[in-house]
Amino acid sequence: MNLETPANALLFDRNHIWHPYASASSPPPCSLVESAKGVYLQLAGGKQIIDGMSSWWAAIHGYNHPVLNEAIRRQTEKMSHVMFGGLTHEPAIELARRLIDLTPPELNYVFFADSGSVAVEVAMKMALQYFHAKGQTCKRRFATVRSGYHGDTWHAMSVCDPVTGMHSIFGDSLPQQLFANKPQTPFNGVWDESEMSNITELIEQYHSEIAAFIIEPIVQGAGGMRFYHPQFLQCLRKLCTHYNILLIADEIATGFGRSGKMFACQHASITPDLLCVGKALTGGYMTLAATLAASKVAETISSAAPHVFMHGPTFMGNPLACAVACASIDLLTDNNCVPARIAEIEQQLREGLLPVRHLDAVENVRVLGAIGVIEMKKTVDIAALQPAFIENGIWLRPFGKLIYTMPPYIIDNNELATLINGMVNVVENCAFQQKKS
Ligand code: PMP
């Protein structure tokens, strides 16, 4: 088969390639992307669409960015990869320095991982090794809140929402973790301390078995795009400290400005014991994640036999990924212009999206930082909506009842207006259809 024609390439893809969360035998339609530049994806056939997803939270500076391209190109000429066991290199050292500078002073040790899920696995392993080193071997379980999402690998799955999460099919095969009620008070709501009673009871009952509590700070992403009150995190931090439980902040989606702060933990001014980053770390150029550990965690793990942390993937600290991550962080922090731009994006998303909250079919509209969410009353028909979005010149991938966007920060006002108008158009149309039925 000649794969040079788009139709044949798509047919081959359909017959042989497994896509995320998709059937192999009857996959949903896929669009063929030929290239991407700025906020635009160039589809085969000539259509250009604005990426409202930043390739799943990652491409914060858009595509084909000259500075990021140059960082990769320069690093390629030095070396694309060397093993990290017994060897080190400037891109990893520079990236670790930047991550340590950006995060609270206690987080002094960086472990590079291959993907977000692996960074979560690493954090969970560190928590277990920490209590092993302290001789508190009863602390082997993990606690979390409902509606969370932490990745698709085994232990990461075990702390995703057990009922509505994508992993319920694996049921009893997964390690059984402890789940508290999800945070209730919205980000800007009136804080009600009684919200902590359920989580407090859980921790009081099981603290002697719990090694760590893992949570997505402020924004519960794939578990429902929910924005919760910073006070929840502050109370959780206090509970964890009081009961000798490590707090793992999963900032894989929220890290690097997305919620309006560099890290979402900053909304609550808390410091976790372990912090996971990924996704936007490389500006969406390639896969890389990291787990940052507080000194007490890293030093305790190293203080008792076997005196090492038992993890070491082949592509750990890949120089190309580290080099582009350094360049991406520099783009974020130089001149401090990105936080101001995110505040403008937030304002425009608010003004553009809030009017649809009055439609009958819409349950709720919420915006935080560069994230805009329209929650519908009924589950949306993704197969029907996606062509409509493309028709409107935009790329979105709704799930469940949620139509949402987290655009690249480089999006300009006109492009953002096109994105917002496209969302509103499609929602109005879909609201109309739902009203009829
Ligand atoms: N944690 C969170 C909060 C995430 O949103 C994701 C990815 N959607 C992950 C972990 C897993 O990251 P990855 O897909 O890179 O394994």
Side-chain angles (χ1 to χ4, degrees):
M1 187 199 280
N2 169 12
L3 294 183
E4 278 166 23
T5 70
N8 280 352
L10 277 171
L11 187 62
F12 182 90
D13 182 293
R14 192 173 174 75
N15 289 337
H16 297 286
I17 304 182
W18 227 318
H19 282 264
Y21 313 112
S23 158
S25 52
S26 74
C30 251
S31 300
L32 188 62
V33 182
E34 284 181 340
S35 62
K37 187 156 181 59
V39 295
Y40 290 99
L41 305 177
Q42 174 75 52
L43 301 186
K47 196 156 179 81
Q48 274 202 334
I49 52 177
I50 294 175
D51 181 8
M53 302 298 290
S54 296
S55 277
W56 272 336
W57 313 79
I60 50 175
H61 307 296
Y63 299 93
N64 227 323
H65 195 290
V67 173
L68 303 184
N69 287 359
E70 177 60 14
I72 296 249
R73 196 191 55 72
R74 253 193 286 129
Q75 186 54 42
T76 312
E77 283 163 10
K78 291 185 190 160
M79 65 192 166
S80 297
H81 186 64
V82 287
M83 63 184 279
F84 213 47
L87 300 175
T88 193
H89 45 78
E90 190 191 330
I93 294 166
E94 282 292 325
L95 178 55
R97 185 177 62 77
R98 282 166 175 74
L99 290 173
I100 288 169
D101 284 352
L102 279 181
T103 51
E106 290 85 340
L107 299 171
N108 270 319
Y109 289 88
V110 179
F111 192 98
F112 291 115
D114 313 12
S115 69
S117 303
V118 175
V120 167
E121 299 281 339
V122 162
M124 294 173 84
K125 283 174 70 174
M126 282 181 179
L128 292 187
Q129 264 200 248
Y130 172 77
F131 285 109
H132 175 85
K134 283 168 82 81
Q136 293 175 270
T137 45
C138 292
K139 282 182 164 281
R140 315 282 315 152
R141 296 182 81 181
F142 294 90
T144 186
V145 286
R146 291 186 182 271
S147 284
Y149 177 79
H150 299 285
D152 294 345
T153 54
W154 208 245
H155 278 71
M157 276 200 291
S158 76
V159 284
C160 293
D161 189 284
V163 181
T164 57
M166 293 179 271
H167 307 305
S168 50
I169 186 174
F170 299 100
D172 295 346
S173 308
L174 293 177
Q176 298 302 297
Q177 313 294 13
L178 298 160
F179 292 88
N181 289 349
K182 60 190 170 197
Q184 289 301 328
T185 312
F187 184 79
N188 283 318
V190 179
W191 173 245
D192 176 3
E193 195 80 26
S194 68
E195 196 186 307
M196 295 311 289
S197 55
N198 172 266
I199 200 166
T200 307
E201 274 165 33
L202 182 98
I203 290 181
E204 276 172 356
Q205 190 177 350
Y206 293 104
H207 66 91
S208 59
E209 299 170 34
I210 302 174
F213 199 106
I214 181 165
I215 193 161
E216 296 155 275
I218 305 298
V219 179
Q220 292 193 290
M225 299 299 293
R226 307 174 72 248
F227 309 146
Y228 64 85
H229 202 284
Q231 198 79 32
F232 187 95
L233 268 190
Q234 287 176 359
C235 294
L236 177 61
R237 174 67 275 185
K238 283 188 196 138
L239 277 172
C240 287
T241 305
H242 183 76
Y243 286 103
N244 187 26
I245 292 169
L246 295 178
L247 179 62
I248 304 174
D250 177 349
E251 293 251 15
I252 288 161
T254 46
F256 307 105
R258 184 54 72 179
S259 73
K261 302 269 186 200
M262 185 59 85
F263 294 102
C265 281
Q266 291 169 324
H267 288 287
S269 308
I270 60 137
T271 300
D273 302 296
L274 292 155
L275 174 77
C276 302
V277 294
K279 287 188 181 284
L281 174 60
T282 61
Y285 265 57
M286 53 182 59
T287 182
L288 181 72
T291 305
L292 276 86
S295 302
K296 76 164 184 189
V297 176
E299 287 160 11
T300 303
I301 289 174
S302 312
S303 69
H307 301 285
V308 295
F309 177 56
M310 297 305 286
H311 203 95
T314 308
F315 286 98
M316 186 166 176
N318 173 258
L320 290 177
C322 290
V324 74
C326 288
S328 173
I329 290 174
D330 290 347
L331 283 177
L332 265 182
T333 51
D334 281 356
N335 310 322
N336 218 23
C337 55
V338 173
R341 180 64 195 138
I342 292 171
E344 287 167 6
I345 293 173
E346 176 169 18
Q347 183 61 20
Q348 199 176 338
L349 283 173
R350 228 180 266 288
E351 283 164 11
L353 295 180
L354 277 182
V356 302
R357 72 188 183 283
H358 299 299
L359 296 175
D360 283 353
V362 173
E363 177 70 36
N364 181 255
V365 175
R366 45 190 182 266
V367 173
L368 182 70
I371 314 170
V373 183
I374 303 173
E375 181 171 343
M376 307 299 289
K377 287 190 176 136
K378 295 186 188 157
T379 302
V380 300
D381 179 354
I382 299 176
L385 287 193
Q386 234 152 22
F389 288 132
I390 293 177
E391 197 54 41
N392 278 270
I394 64 176
W395 174 248
L396 294 175
R397 188 176 154 97
F399 71 86
K401 297 175 183 165
L402 302 166
I403 296 171
Y404 65 106
T405 183
M406 51 273 184
Y409 306 155
I410 53 131
I411 196 164
D412 70 23
N413 291 354
N414 290 335
E415 292 159 345
L416 189 53
T418 304
L419 179 61
I420 292 169
N421 292 342
M423 285 175 85
V424 170
N425 265 344
V426 171
V427 166
E428 280 174 349
N429 191 36
C430 126
F432 174 66
Q433 286 170 10
Q434 285 190 357
K435 261 197 269 175
K436 274 203 308 192
S437 64

